[in-house]
Amino acid sequence: ARADGVDHLVGLPIYPLCCPSTNVQSLDELDEALDEVWWDVPVDGLTGWHKHPGYSRARIDNIRAFLDENDLTLGDGTQLVFSAHGTPQYYLDEGSRYEIYVEEYCEVIASLLGVEEYELGYQNHENRDVPWTEPDVETVVEELDGAERVLVEPISFMHEQSETLSELDDEL
C-alpha cells in the first residue's frame, strides 16, 4: 500500500460485532504492523458495523434466498437459531458490550424477517479454562422443542471461517 502511494488506510475487520478479541485486537495488530515498518499513515478503524442497513439487508437477502431455494418458511416447523461466536466472560465483566451487540443484531434481523420467536446460542471454546458466554449453541439446538427443522444463522463474521463452519456443519 505504501509503495502504491496510499495515504490513508481503512481497517475493516471481518467481524461486524465489536469485541476485544476480534475487532479491537485486529485493529491493534494493524497499528503494531504499521509501527514495525515505520509507516505513519492515518487509519480509520471500523468497528461495530452490524447496525449498517446495507449489511442487514445483505444478511436478510441471504436468509430469504436460502428459504426460497429450500421451500421453507420460518415458524412453519422451521426454527431460527442465531449462532454467535462466544467470548470469554471476563471481557463482558470488563465492560465489553459484545453480548448487547449480539442481542441487538438478532432482534433486528428477526424483526426484518417477520419472526417473533428465535433462539440464540454461542459457539464457545470448551478447551479454554475460563467461563464463556452462555448458552452454548449446541445446548440450544438440543433443547429445541417441536422444531422439525433448524435454520442456524451464524452472525459473528462477514464470512464464516473454518472453525465456525466445522462447528456448524459437523457438530450441529
Side-chain angles (χ1 to χ4, degrees):
R2 181 172 22 186
D4 287 341
V6 171
D7 61 5
H8 192 119
L9 294 177
V10 175
L12 176 62
I14 62 167
Y15 320 103
L17 302 151
C18 186
C19 184
S21 61
T22 55
N23 299 70
V24 175
Q25 182 176 339
S26 295
L27 294 172
D28 286 348
E29 289 176 6
L30 174 60
D31 288 341
E32 290 169 12
L34 294 172
D35 287 344
E36 285 179 21
V37 297
W38 298 81
W39 189 17
D40 185 22
V41 62
V43 177
D44 286 327
L46 302 179
T47 64
W49 46 273
H50 65 283
K51 292 183 178 185
H52 191 282
Y55 181 68
S56 296
R57 271 194 311 276
R59 293 304 289 247
I60 293 297
D61 290 347
N62 186 53
I63 295 168
R64 286 187 177 141
F66 178 84
L67 292 169
D68 290 345
E69 289 170 15
N70 293 280
D71 197 28
L72 298 172
T73 304
L74 291 174
D76 185 26
T78 303
Q79 176 71 48
L80 175 62
V81 175
F82 291 104
S83 177
H85 198 281
T87 194
Q89 183 63 41
Y90 64 82
Y91 284 135
L92 303 176
D93 296 341
E94 292 171 353
S96 170
R97 297 176 49 86
Y98 178 70
E99 197 170 36
I100 294 168
Y101 298 149
V102 167
E103 292 169 3
E104 285 176 346
Y105 181 77
C106 293
E107 287 176 22
V108 166
I109 297 301
S111 174
L112 291 172
L113 287 169
V115 174
E116 292 182 22
E117 293 186 27
Y118 60 88
E119 298 294 331
L120 165 62
Y122 291 89
Q123 295 168 296
N124 291 321
H125 294 282
E126 297 172 2
N127 61 340
R128 300 194 183 152
D129 195 26
V130 296
W132 282 68
T133 43
E134 294 291 336
D136 288 322
V137 69
E138 293 89 351
T139 302
V140 168
V141 170
E142 287 171 0
E143 294 178 354
L144 287 176
D145 188 30
E148 296 173 30
R149 292 164 301 280
V150 179
L151 175 76
V152 179
E153 174 66 5
I155 63 169
S156 296
F157 306 101
M158 189 167 66
H159 66 82
E160 293 308 320
Q161 36 83 356
S162 60
E163 173 190 328
T164 301
L165 292 173
S166 173
E167 289 173 344
L168 296 175
D169 293 343
D170 297 332
E171 295 175 27
L172 289 182

